[in-house]
Amino acid sequence: MEEFNRAADGETTPAREAAGEGSVRSPSMSSVLRRAAYPALLVGTLVTGGVALSREWDPTRISPLFLMGVLLYLTALERLIPYDRAWHPSRSEWRWYGIYFLFTMVGSALAQALVSTAVAALSPTVPALPLGVEIPSALLLGSLASYLVHRLGHTQPLLWRLHGVHHVPQKVNVANNGVNHVLDIVLAQGFVQLALALAGFSRESVFVVGLFVTAQGYFVHANIDVHIGRLNHLLASPEQHRLHHSTALSEAGHYGSDLSVWDHLFGSYTWRPGRAPVAVGLSNPASFPDTGQIVASLLHPARRPPRDGGDTPGN
């Protein structure tokens, strides 16, 4: 908690520079929110997983409810302690993001359906290891699989033509975390879930890890003025993920959206205290359709790449 407390008060952001635009009720309230926002999210995730397992609740019902709770919580925080007020979605963006969110949910459901047979066949009904051992192990493996497929999405031309749709917006917020090509979601989530199934992790551990990954995935995209200090070297954060969306490729690493240990291990960790991107989005905006051009974005991977190299992997 000391890291949260020290980091919450020490850095200047666009939100703090815009003094007097009172979305935050008082300095004391904003300070408390900055300190408590992330610990509260982690505690809520752990409590949800623990209660669901102890009471044997159906994961297929709990997971969507948990997602809705995370979205409401982080969306409220974006208004109370914004990192940059200019990154709030406009009305038209809310409409676009809502449509993409539905596509993302469809992609997630399809990915789950594609591997459900493997999970049922390979995952033991009784955990082979204590959950206290199995859950961290499943988190490490799932995080590694997610890191690898995400990095490939930035380095392999065909995969970038799918994943680049997510990097078109010139803002980073909770709402546009759902801006994705449906096939990108199917491939990425299907790869991670299949890795966990093939490793033989129990459904209980996969469920708990899924809650944490969901919370982290939306947290790192949140437009909130929160700093986690040295914990950045273990866990992913909005501070890092804004750099991932940077238009400057030299700082746009951070492919981990749950853990940051793989970025350290594979040399893609670029964050340091106070470092923030000058701009986010694509380094070549003309290489992808605008986010509002939803049909064109979905058809983008099928079109012929330009000969000038404008569609090469990157941001």
Side-chain angles (χ1 to χ4, degrees), residues 16-245:
R16 297 185 187 191
E17 292 172 355
E21 297 183 22
S23 66
V24 175
R25 301 295 178 260
S26 70
S28 59
M29 179 181 177
S30 66
S31 178
V32 170
L33 286 174
R34 291 186 180 101
R35 289 188 176 100
Y38 188 45
L41 180 65
L42 294 179
V43 170
T45 302
L46 291 174
V47 169
T48 301
V51 172
L53 291 180
S54 65
R55 299 192 179 184
E56 298 182 349
W57 288 342
D58 184 357
T60 61
R61 295 185 177 183
I62 298 303
S63 295
L65 292 174
F66 177 76
L67 171 60
M68 292 299 106
V70 169
L71 288 173
L72 290 173
Y73 174 65
L74 293 175
T75 299
L77 288 179
E78 286 190 329
R79 292 293 171 175
L80 293 169
I81 48 171
Y83 168 78
D84 189 340
R85 290 180 178 83
W87 284 3
H88 289 325
S90 64
R91 289 186 179 182
S92 60
E93 286 172 336
W94 272 117
R95 291 194 296 270
W96 303 336
Y97 296 165
I99 295 172
Y100 278 105
F101 179 77
L102 292 177
F103 282 126
T104 295
M105 292 300 98
V106 169
S108 298
L110 182 56
Q112 180 63 50
L114 290 174
V115 300
S116 61
T117 302
V119 171
L122 299 172
S123 296
T125 55
V126 178
L129 297 170
L131 284 177
V133 175
E134 195 179 51
I135 290 173
S137 300
L139 175 59
L140 283 172
L141 177 61
S143 178
L144 175 59
S146 176
Y147 173 90
L148 293 175
V149 72
H150 190 184
R151 188 159 186 170
L152 286 172
H154 281 262
T155 56
Q156 298 300 313
L158 179 59
L159 295 180
W160 171 246
R161 290 167 67 77
L162 295 172
H163 183 65
V165 171
H166 178 65
H167 284 265
V168 173
Q170 297 176 337
K171 306 174 180 180
V172 181
N173 53 50
V174 168
N176 65 29
N177 182 39
V179 176
N180 300 287
H181 196 285
V182 64
L183 292 181
D184 185 40
I185 295 298
V186 171
L187 290 173
Q189 294 194 10
F191 181 77
V192 173
Q193 293 178 32
L194 190 58
L196 293 174
L198 291 174
F201 288 111
S202 67
R203 282 167 285 186
E204 290 85 354
S205 63
V206 173
F207 164 66
V208 174
V209 168
L211 294 181
F212 175 74
V213 169
T214 296
Q216 279 290 112
Y218 282 93
F219 170 67
V220 300
H221 281 86
N223 176 28
I224 56 178
D225 185 21
V226 167
H227 308 277
I228 67 172
R230 292 194 183 96
L231 284 177
N232 275 290
H233 298 289
L234 173 64
L235 299 169
S237 75
E239 301 166 85
Q240 299 170 25
H241 204 72
R242 293 179 195 120
L243 289 173
H244 174 71
H245 280 261

